[in-house]
Amino acid sequence: SQELEQSPQSLIVQEGKNLTINCTSSKTLYGLYWYKQKYGEGLIFLMMLQKGGEEKSHEKITAKLDEKKQQSSLHITASQPSHAGIYLCGADMLGSGGSNYKLTFGKGTLLTVNP
Amino acid sequence: DAGITQSPRHKVTETGTPVTLRCHQTENHRYMYWYRQDPGHGLRLIHYSYGVKDTDKGEVSDGYSVSRSKTEDFLLTLESATSSQTSVYFCAISERVYQPQHFGDGTRLSIL
């Protein structure tokens, strides 16, 4: 079974609408990273969350890590066509030992924004 | 943007041939990683390096070897390529633990 589940797998929204993507784990997340990928390109780092309850924002994108550190959400406000792409969460699920050698990634959420 | 260059960007080769992919960084970061990305599987770690000549296996290391003789270069070798190794390969780097990994633009490898 997938250790890091992303939902939904794909999402189509109208420009201007808000949306949320979730990343859920059955284990504690010691570091949670959000990336965006455009088709045929590399992953672009968006945000990193480490503390339970932490919330970070960049432009119209807000990411949160819940108190129990087992779920993160990515929220986009007033979506634009430039937000389209694949959003991936990656997580350090090993914790103590000081290693993020092995990030586990979700399978991604494909976001389409229709003008 | 992190200075990461992957080469080649595209390659088509035949089953049984050796293939080497190169990742070059200009950031002097200690940690380097090789991933493969496949539909239905997402991004999976092949091998990683935590210093010059220090490497270890990831989730899907069978059929792959790596080498890191200099801080800036991390090579991924398919000794005898198989069709199941057709994929998009990404290199990533990070400065230290608990820091984000930054990714290269990928190498699209097709093995016929």
Side-chain angles (χ1 to χ4, degrees):
Chain A
S1 63
Q2 185 73 11
E3 289 188 299
L4 211 56
E5 294 279 352
Q6 279 189 242
S7 62
Q9 289 185 314
S10 63
L11 189 56
I12 302 173
V13 300
Q14 203 67 31
E15 182 176 359
K17 296 295 186 183
N18 302 337
L19 63 106
T20 299
I21 297 168
N22 294 303
C23 179
T24 303
S25 170
S26 57
K27 301 177 182 179
T28 299
L29 304 173
Y30 291 93
L32 191 289
Y33 305 83
W34 282 102
Y35 290 86
K36 180 186 176 184
Q37 184 181 26
K38 288 199 176 275
Y39 182 78
E41 298 180 10
L43 282 70
I44 304 299
F45 170 69
L46 296 175
M47 279 174 276
M48 174 178 71
L49 305 165
Q50 291 183 304
K51 300 176 184 177
E54 187 174 10
E55 179 176 321
K56 288 187 177 178
S57 294
H58 176 68
E59 298 180 341
K60 295 185 178 181
I61 301 176
T62 300
K64 302 177 185 180
L65 182 61
D66 76 355
E67 290 288 345
K68 293 183 178 179
K69 296 174 65 176
Q70 288 191 295
Q71 183 174 34
S72 178
S73 61
L74 186 82
H75 184 78
I76 299 177
T77 303
S79 58
Q80 301 169 350
S82 61
H83 287 128
I86 300 170
Y87 289 82
L88 295 99
C89 61
D92 173 8
M93 304 171 80
L94 296 178
S96 60
S99 166
N100 77 339
Y101 297 147
K102 298 181 181 180
L103 290 188
T104 299
F105 284 86
K107 292 184 179 180
T109 295
L110 175 62
L111 173 62
T112 303
V113 181
N114 290 327
Chain B
D1 291 342
I4 308 169
T5 304
Q6 291 188 232
S7 58
R9 292 294 315 280
H10 303 272
K11 187 174 182 66
V12 180
T13 191
E14 295 183 345
T15 300
T17 60
V19 177
T20 296
L21 308 183
R22 181 185 184 226
C23 178
H24 178 77
Q25 59 143 329
T26 58
E27 305 296 321
N28 201 35
H29 284 355
R30 177 180 176 186
Y31 301 96
M32 299 186 76
Y33 313 81
W34 276 108
Y35 292 89
R36 60 178 290 175
Q37 186 176 39
D38 305 285
H41 292 280
L43 206 61
R44 293 178 292 175
L45 181 66
I46 305 171
H47 281 281
Y48 62 94
S49 170
Y50 46 97
V52 174
K53 297 186 179 179
D54 291 324
T55 65
D56 205 348
K57 297 179 180 179
E59 180 185 356
V60 290
S61 59
D62 287 349
Y64 301 95
S65 62
V66 290
S67 65
R68 191 170 178 199
S69 58
K70 298 185 289 185
T71 298
E72 57 266 37
D73 289 325
F74 193 31
L75 304 180
L76 177 71
T77 298
L78 291 66
E79 299 291 346
S80 178
T82 68
S83 58
S84 64
Q85 294 175 310
T86 292
S87 185
V88 181
Y89 290 85
F90 287 99
C91 172
I93 65 174
S94 65
E95 187 172 7
R96 58 180 70 91
V97 293
Y98 295 124
Q99 290 296 309
Q101 294 180 17
H102 296 279
F103 286 77
D105 289 333
T107 294
R108 189 170 296 272
L109 178 64
S110 296
I111 300 163
L112 307 177

